[in-house]
Amino acid sequence: MRAIHEEDPCKDTYGRERMRQALLLAQPDGIRIPSEGTVRRVMERIVLVHRPKRRPNGITKADREPRKSDNLLKRDFWADKPLEKCVTDITEIQTKDGKLYASAIFDCFDLTVLGLTMDVNVKAELCVRALDSAAAAYPGLRGAIVHSDRGSQYTSAAYQATVERHGIRQSMDSDGGRCHDNACGESMWARMKSELFYDRLSRLYSLAWVSV
């Protein structure tokens, strides 16, 4: 586990589940890979336990009007095949010269990033472009469920027109929904930030390179 931890700077964020997966991939000779519980206890003993340093900060603001779409997923993020269920969300990244906003669409089947856009503002157009890029790259997205929170970007006329144009089934968090309603998307952003940005690269990035 120490060797896995030291071979890549980003692996110092590994928890018990990912560490056990890395051990199984490594297949060390003559060593039986124990359960996650045992891996966790050993990681605690040799001080390899990762604890998130920051709490998530919501970007989108819920629309005060009644929701425009039902919650079709109901927190069931399991998909039997690609382009069946997707989630979308926005995140904020602090760079050395300002804030960068990213919108992505993730496939629940294998967490593939189907569409990704970035900008220095968080207007509805950011989400529209993410959906357009996903539909262009994956024509099979037509008929799929794309789930989001109830932020004003997703209840906007522009976004809903884009959903209809691409033949997508829109799903939104329930009224008064919590973060768990879109846990799949939020967990992907949390993992990315924890492994690549917090106290690492974001302080080196400049908004000048953003062209997506």
Side-chain angles (χ1 to χ4, degrees), residues 187-204:
S187 66
M188 285 297 295
W189 286 134
R191 175 176 292 184
M192 181 199 74
K193 288 184 174 183
S194 178
E195 296 186 2
L196 298 178
F197 287 94
Y198 290 155
D199 302 320
R200 293 184 190 274
L201 305 180
S202 61
R203 64 181 179 271
L204 304 177

Side-chain angles (χ1 to χ4, degrees), residues 123-138:
K123 297 179 180 179
E125 179 63 21
L126 178 71
C127 304
V128 168
R129 287 191 286 116
L131 199 55
D132 280 338
S133 66
Y138 298 90

Side-chain angles (χ1 to χ4, degrees), residues 90 103 117-119 121-133 152-154 156 158-159 162 165 212:
I90 304 170
S103 173
T117 52
M118 294 178 285
D119 212 324
N121 65 66
V122 71
K123 297 179 180 179
E125 179 63 21
L126 178 71
C127 304
V128 168
R129 287 191 286 116
L131 199 55
D132 280 338
S133 66
S152 58
Q153 294 88 345
Y154 302 113
S156 68
Y159 184 83
T162 306
R165 185 172 72 253
V212 178

